[in-house]
Amino acid sequence: MTRARQNASVPFATAVLTADTTVVAGKSYAVNTTSAALTITLPASAVAGDYVQIIDYAATADSNAITIGRNSHKIQGATADLTVGTERAAFGLVYVDATQGWLLTEK
């Protein structure tokens, strides 16, 4: 069984994020952008199969975006942060390798 498949059931982080935060792999995070846009930074030390899930907690990412900070790793093969501006967005990112970096598991 691959590590990504093992992570299909990801534990939910206990607190709703309301400030810029660096997350750890293996957890699901509810992000509340009701008051302001937030930056959620991916782990600096990523290994193949690491997984993070992000959920727009208050359905406000369309007015206050969630930025996924790449922390020196690529996202979708690009050397740029990912900006999420879709209300109720919920998605996972799995780290593959240095060439592609973090890839979306849902679109």
Side-chain angles (χ1 to χ4, degrees):
M1 182 178 294
T2 67
R3 187 170 179 180
R5 176 59 60 200
Q6 290 171 341
N7 288 335
S9 178
V10 179
F12 192 76
T14 55
V16 174
L17 302 180
T18 57
D20 295 348
T21 304
T22 298
V23 297
V24 297
K27 294 196 178 200
S28 178
Y29 296 90
V31 180
N32 185 350
T33 61
T34 299
S35 298
L38 296 180
T39 297
I40 305 304
T41 304
L42 295 168
S45 298
V47 297
D50 279 355
Y51 184 82
V52 173
Q53 187 175 32
I54 305 294
I55 300 166
D56 176 19
Y57 169 82
T60 53
D62 57 337
S63 56
N64 289 317
I66 300 168
T67 298
I68 306 300
R70 62 189 194 89
N71 209 351
S72 79
H73 296 288
K74 293 179 180 179
I75 298 176
Q76 297 284 97
T79 56
D81 293 340
L82 174 66
T83 301
V84 179
T86 302
E87 183 179 303
R88 286 285 187 223
F91 57 93
L93 291 158
V94 64
Y95 186 80
V96 178
D97 59 25
T99 302
Q100 293 301 315
W102 293 90
L103 297 178
L104 289 167
T105 60
E106 300 88 14
K107 283 192 173 187

